């Protein structure tokens, strides 16, 4: 009798954990590296043009947060610095994403995955021209019977072309 109660309790706990584990955050199936994925290599080619890598300036971000707290005006330009490619050591990569939700794993509820949108958001945020050193991957997040979300992720360096000197 004692053994049956214990196994019943274990079975109930296992079912409860498996059911509850799917609802809040779901199960994440991380995809691997996706070559190309709809991004044209020509769109990210610099073709020997001179450019600078756009990096988010953390000190300027902090300064602007203090300005907001004091109620002072904040500049209308992005808080960035520009680094020459030969001086760049990494650390300025930015991320973008596009996702699509499928209700009950059957019906798409949101627009299709758009690699150009995923790449365009970080470029616009930093007011750059394009992105280089692009890496892309996909993930699928499962939410029990509710559905799943497919996420297309982009990571790379935003650049800004230098104007030609006359």
């Amino acid at each position: 009798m004692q053994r049956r109660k214990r196994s019943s309790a274990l079975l109930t706990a296992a079912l409860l954990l498996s059911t509850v584990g799917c609802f809040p955050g779901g199960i994440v199936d991380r995809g691997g590296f996706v070559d190309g994925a709809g991004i044209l290599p020509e769109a990210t080619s610099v073709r020997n043009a001179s450019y600078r890598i756009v990096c988010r300036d953390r000190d300027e971000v902090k300064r602007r947060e203090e300005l907001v707290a004091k109620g002072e005006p904040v500049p209308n330009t992005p808080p960035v610095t520009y680094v020459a490619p030969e001086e760049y050591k990494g650390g300025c990569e930015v991320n973008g994403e596009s996702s699509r939700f499928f209700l009950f794993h059957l019906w798409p509820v949101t627009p299709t995955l758009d690699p150009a949108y995923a790449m365009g958001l970080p470029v616009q945020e930093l007011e750059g021209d394009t992105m280089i050193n692009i890496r892309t991957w996909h993930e699928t997040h499962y939410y029990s019977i509710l559905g799943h979300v497919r996420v297309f992720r982009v990571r790379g360096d935003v650049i800004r072309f230098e104007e030609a000197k006359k």
Side-chain angles (χ1 to χ4, degrees), residues 99-112:
S99 61
R100 186 170 200 192
F101 178 70
F102 289 84
L103 185 63
F104 303 120
H105 305 283
L106 298 173
W107 299 288
V109 181
T110 57
T112 60

Side-chain angles (χ1 to χ4, degrees), residues 36-57:
I39 297 176
L40 300 173
E42 296 84 22
T44 61
S45 175
V46 293
R47 291 202 170 102
N48 296 328
S50 59
Y51 64 90
R52 299 252 179 207
I53 297 174
V54 183
C55 293
R56 192 177 316 274
D57 187 352

